[in-house]
Amino acid sequence: MRVITGKARGVQLKTPDGMLTRPTADRVKEALFSIINFDIPGANVLDLFGGTGQLGIEALSRGAELCVFVDAREEACRLIKENLRRTKLEGTVVRCDYMDYLNRCKERFSIIFLDPPYAEEFLENAIKRIMEIDILQTDGIIVAERPAGKELPWEFDGYQRSKDYKYGKTLLTIYRRL
């Protein structure tokens, strides 16, 4: 797993041991960043299910202004911090349950990455809560990664949903705030 382009291009990111974290495949990451490329410069990013930090780190490498990484597991937070050191990029790492973070969040973001564990309902709950608390800026985007077969709602007031982008068994969906 590596940073694809930008300031930290080519830096290898540390990956976790075991199966608790499922990093986004490089092919999916490349496609994702091709889709949102023009939204990244100067963006305020939230990587809500940080894992390795690779999505937020890629955004920082490509010119995002700041990134907040959230993960409930101590090991994941240590891994994100190590990957930030490797890339010489700066971000804020918060060890916290995703819903607790959202419930107390006062910041507004222009890009929110959602790549939670596939088997749970974290994705649906996170999208619903983000829309309720209004932390996404106008024209901001939510990037949701999920397994093929897992459906997401098409309509939310004030948001436009993209088509699904399919890469093997992975689907990407983008919600843009109007």
Side-chain angles (χ1 to χ4, degrees), residues 3 20 45 69:
V3 178
L20 289 176
V45 177
F69 301 85

Side-chain angles (χ1 to χ4, degrees), residues 42-45 107-112 130 134-141 158-159 176-178:
N44 296 337
V45 177
E107 298 175 68
R108 292 180 58 89
F109 299 96
S110 45
I111 299 174
I112 300 175
I130 288 165
D134 193 31
I135 62 169
L136 190 63
Q137 298 171 357
T138 301
D139 288 330
I141 57 174
Y159 289 82
R176 184 171 296 275
R177 179 139 189 253
L178 304 173

Side-chain angles (χ1 to χ4, degrees), residues 1-5 13 22-33 36 40 45-64 66-69 80 83-84 89 111-116 118 143-146 170 172:
M1 185 172 63
R2 65 183 170 80
V3 178
I4 298 167
T5 197
L13 299 177
R22 174 200 36 77
T24 299
D26 275 354
R27 180 175 73 126
V28 175
K29 186 169 66 170
E30 284 186 50
L32 161 62
F33 280 94
I36 68 167
I40 297 170
V45 177
L46 173 60
D47 192 346
L48 191 58
F49 299 92
T52 63
Q54 73 165 324
L55 296 178
I57 287 171
E58 186 72 37
L60 288 169
S61 181
R62 291 172 182 245
L66 64 89
C67 185
V68 176
F69 301 85
I80 294 166
N83 284 331
L84 285 167
L89 297 170
I111 299 174
I112 300 175
F113 292 118
L114 301 177
D115 183 15
Y118 281 176
V143 178
E145 181 178 330
R146 67 187 196 283
T170 301
L172 296 175

